[in-house]
Amino acid sequence: MREMVSEPESKLLRAWQLAVLRFAVTLDDDDRMHALGVAGEVDRLGGAADDAFHFFRRTTAELCAAISGRSVDQDAVIRRFLAQIDNVRLKRAFEAAISRDRTPPKLVASRIKPGNDLWRGLPSRRATGS
């Protein structure tokens, strides 16, 4: 993947990597199918008239299985994919997406709960004379 490629080929390869990243984030079957579809487009760039060249489809299927935890050699498959990613931000995003120790951020626990003095400083209704 690191050899000289044209601009359209480069964009399609990046689209493939982003499609795999999206599946890694969502684990949704529709996103897996989209990644396989983009992989098919990349495979067709090889110019083969028949369906003999299917490297990206095969690689995508292996990656999706590894990301889902259904692959025996999932760590090796993921390491190979990460080694092919040239963009540092994309690589970090993928590493974060597949991290096994992801914990959701604590948003609600850090909020301060209102006390009884919510209305302190405001005049009472009785004092307004209405």
Side-chain angles (χ1 to χ4, degrees):
M1 266 183 12
R2 293 180 190 230
E3 57 194 42
M4 297 295 286
V5 293
S6 69
E7 182 71 22
E9 291 170 338
S10 177
K11 285 184 178 183
L12 193 52
L13 286 172
R14 182 57 42 96
W16 172 69
Q17 291 172 335
L18 289 170
V20 173
L21 171 61
R22 182 175 177 153
F23 172 74
V25 170
T26 66
L27 298 176
D28 186 68
D29 196 47
D30 288 339
D31 292 328
R32 182 182 63 81
M33 294 304 293
H34 175 72
L36 286 166
V38 175
E41 290 180 42
V42 178
D43 282 340
R44 282 189 284 283
L45 285 177
D50 60 1
D51 199 30
F53 186 69
H54 54 274
F55 171 80
F56 286 94
R57 283 176 281 182
R58 184 177 61 246
T59 301
T60 303
E62 289 173 359
L63 273 168
C64 290
I67 292 166
S68 300
R70 295 177 297 181
S71 173
V72 175
D73 58 346
Q74 65 191 43
D75 291 334
V77 170
I78 291 171
R79 274 194 311 273
R80 279 194 309 266
F81 180 67
L82 282 170
Q84 296 297 318
I85 299 175
D86 292 333
N87 184 295
V88 175
R89 293 184 305 166
L90 181 60
K91 186 179 284 196
R92 286 182 187 157
F94 187 79
E95 288 170 338
I98 62 169
S99 175
R100 289 183 178 86
D101 61 345
R102 285 191 288 182
T103 56
K106 293 177 76 176
L107 298 175
V108 177
S110 65
R111 292 185 187 159
I112 298 172
K113 295 182 180 179
N116 291 336
D117 61 346
L118 177 66
W119 306 109
R120 184 176 33 166
L122 296 176
S124 69
R125 289 187 179 175
R126 283 177 260 139
T128 60
S130 300

